[in-house]
Amino acid sequence: MTNLNSKVYIVLFLIVLLCLVFLYPFVKDRLDLSNYENRSLMTWNDVKVQSTWRDFFPNLQTMIDDNIFYKNESIKVIDCIDEYIFGDLFNSSVMIGKDNWLFYKGDGCIQDYRGGYEMPGEALERYADAAENLQSVLNERGIELYLMITPNKETIYGEQYLPSKVKRISDYSRADQIVEYLANNTECDVVYTKNSLLDAAGDQQIWKKYDTHWNKIGAFIACQDFLKTSKCDYVTLDQVRIATNGRLTGDLANMLGMTERFFDDTDYIIEGYLENIDIEELETIVQPNLSYIVLASNAKYDQTVLFVGDSFLGYMKPYIGEIFSKCVFMHHDSYAILDEERLMGIAPDVVVIQTAERFISSYASWMNVYAENFKSNYNP
């Protein structure tokens, strides 16, 4: 009987697969073909161009996985089965926490939250060497440098909302070790927004519930941290108004294919902040993750500030644009834009190199890239 049942299940499974293949030409225009991942999907051209003989087949498998029929629909079905039958989400990228808060499993976010990893001295020295080298290059050109590190969502809300099964070994993370080492071994100004955000999180929601990124309140707090460090005028949350602007979902809900379900987060906005400042968008070059944008304003501080970082900069733009007369924002992945003509045109007074905590392993490398870039392309 067991063998018979097994054969029946196999036959039924094959029939379902054949039906899906047969129906695909008729339903393909109605399928969800959106890219819900924080990366570009791999194409056959990518496989041909990027692959060596060693990684050809792994890249080919990734390409197939990225473009398989019914991909997003399958993810939705599997996630629903996991949650409603097995009582948990076994998604490779997303973890569901208490009160339906979503957390990112990738880029070492959960490991950073759990702590317990002591960075080797030589690794810490690489960060210090890169920071001092970049500072030296910029100072020779009359430019101030600030290093900005944005904590992970798990660092701020893990204790409150991560599942109880995620146990913390230590609250001393890689980012904490790097910041402490830079403070003790370099003259660089480091803006580490962790403590200010933790203080605020007890009274306000400062992160998106279904997203890896902070909300506008969190971005506002981080901006004020930078302004305080750079000795500019800054304000506190009690000096502005917090209002709401409807509901929103997030990138983590996208990864699950469940934006219809996870769509009850509140979109908070900041009102009453430097309302007499007019911002003009001088240039925009659309780029993945974060567009290259140049802003000009009638702000108090007549300086040009170049912010280079990741997608966390997106919500920071208005709060910084109202402080400095010219601001430039760009993503690390767009660094090639900073050629000689563009850098000479920007002529920055201040450079801020930002990174999210989950990308901190690449931070020293990026600092070295910008040091070489300014050496080659900016000699006023």
Side-chain angles (χ1 to χ4, degrees):
M1 188 68 176
T2 303
N3 289 337
L4 179 60
N5 286 341
S6 298
K7 292 177 181 178
V8 170
Y9 291 143
I10 292 172
V11 170
L12 289 175
F13 178 71
L14 292 174
I15 291 173
V16 170
L17 285 181
L18 288 172
C19 288
L20 290 173
V21 172
F22 175 76
L23 288 172
Y24 182 76
F26 303 99
V27 301
K28 63 179 181 179
D29 293 335
R30 299 182 182 182
L31 296 178
D32 181 1
L33 302 178
S34 302
N35 177 13
Y36 294 126
E37 302 190 41
N38 288 332
R39 63 181 179 86
S40 299
L41 299 183
M42 185 164 285
T43 65
W44 172 241
N45 188 60
D46 294 329
V47 175
K48 291 190 297 182
V49 172
Q50 299 177 12
S51 301
T52 65
W53 67 271
R54 292 182 178 179
D55 57 13
F56 176 83
F57 287 104
N59 286 345
L60 179 63
Q61 183 62 56
T62 300
M63 186 273 291
I64 294 171
D65 292 343
D66 283 350
N67 299 279
I68 195 170
F69 295 167
Y70 305 102
K71 175 187 174 183
N72 291 330
E73 286 71 19
S74 299
I75 291 173
K76 293 176 185 178
V77 171
I78 291 170
D79 286 339
C80 287
I81 291 172
D82 286 345
E83 184 175 9
Y84 293 111
I85 296 181
F86 298 104
D88 199 357
L89 283 176
F90 300 102
N91 186 277
S92 61
S93 300
V94 182
M95 178 181 293
I96 186 167
K98 300 169 186 174
D99 294 341
N100 276 348
W101 275 66
L102 300 181
F103 294 91
Y104 188 44
K105 292 181 180 179
D107 298 320
C109 289
I110 301 301
Q111 292 89 332
D112 277 330
Y113 168 75
R114 295 187 71 242
Y117 173 71
E118 183 176 350
M119 294 190 67
E122 57 269 23
L124 293 169
E125 288 174 9
R126 284 197 294 272
Y127 287 90
D129 290 344
E132 288 187 317
N133 180 41
L134 178 58
Q135 184 174 48
S136 175
V137 170
L138 294 181
N139 287 171
E140 288 173 0
R141 290 155 176 77
I143 302 171
E144 297 178 52
L145 170 67
Y146 293 89
L147 305 177
M148 187 173 192
I149 299 173
T150 303
N152 294 332
K153 179 181 186 176
E154 294 72 22
T155 299
I156 304 301
Y157 281 109
E159 289 279 0
Q160 187 173 356
Y161 291 116
L162 271 172
S164 302
K165 65 183 179 182
V166 182
K167 303 297 184 184
R168 207 168 200 178
I169 301 170
S170 165
D171 61 0
Y172 191 52
S173 67
R174 289 183 303 160
D176 293 323
Q177 295 173 62
I178 291 168
V179 169
E180 182 178 303
Y181 193 87
L182 290 175
N184 293 333
N185 296 276
T186 74
E187 299 296 323
C188 296
D189 290 308
V190 181
V191 185
Y192 188 32
T193 58
K194 174 182 174 180
N195 290 333
S196 296
L197 291 168
L198 280 171
D199 290 342
D203 301 316
Q204 301 286 345
Q205 181 184 328
I206 61 172
W207 232 267
K208 296 179 187 178
K209 189 174 179 180
Y210 307 131
D211 201 283
T212 56
H213 300 88
W214 52 27
N215 61 19
K216 296 181 181 74
I217 303 175
F220 177 84
I221 294 168
C223 287
Q224 303 313 307
D225 261 5
F226 164 68
L227 296 175
K228 187 188 306 183
T229 303
S230 59
K231 298 180 174 57
C232 295
D233 293 343
Y234 66 93
V235 303
T236 57
L237 272 181
D238 58 8
Q239 295 176 275
V240 296
R241 300 184 302 274
I242 298 174
T244 59
N245 188 37
R247 300 292 180 180
L248 74 168
T249 182
D251 59 6
L252 293 170
N254 284 341
M255 293 180 203
L256 292 174
M258 292 185 171
T259 53
E260 299 88 354
R261 175 187 166 184
F262 296 109
F263 198 84
D264 61 348
D265 194 12
T266 300
D267 184 17
Y268 294 99
I269 56 176
I270 300 290
E271 296 181 340
Y273 179 64
L274 300 179
E275 294 179 322
N276 61 323
I277 303 298
D278 299 318
I279 299 179
E280 180 185 2
E281 197 169 294
L282 297 182
E283 182 182 14
T284 299
I285 302 175
V286 177
Q287 299 284 306
N289 299 313
L290 181 76
S291 294
Y292 174 89
I293 291 181
V294 181
L295 303 177
S297 73
N298 58 331
K300 174 180 178 179
Y301 296 98
D302 186 19
Q303 288 184 301
T304 297
V305 182
L306 170 62
F307 270 81
V308 187
D310 50 50
S311 50
F312 277 84
L313 295 179
Y315 274 177
M316 293 176 62
K317 288 181 292 188
Y319 311 128
I320 296 297
E322 293 173 328
I323 294 292
F324 301 99
S325 59
K326 186 176 179 182
C327 296
V328 182
F329 296 87
M330 59 169 285
H331 197 279
H332 285 304
D333 292 344
S334 306
Y335 76 92
I337 286 177
L338 294 181
D339 57 16
E340 183 175 3
E341 181 180 0
R342 190 174 298 278
L343 261 181
M344 294 299 291
I346 294 172
D349 301 296
V350 178
V351 170
V352 182
I353 307 297
Q354 177 269 337
T355 186
E357 181 180 358
R358 66 179 186 263
F359 303 134
I360 203 164
S361 59
S362 301
Y363 201 33
S365 298
W366 281 121
M367 286 189 277
N368 288 327
V369 165
Y370 298 123
E372 291 303 315
N373 201 329
F374 272 84
K375 276 184 184 178
S376 301
N377 296 324
Y378 189 68
N379 294 288

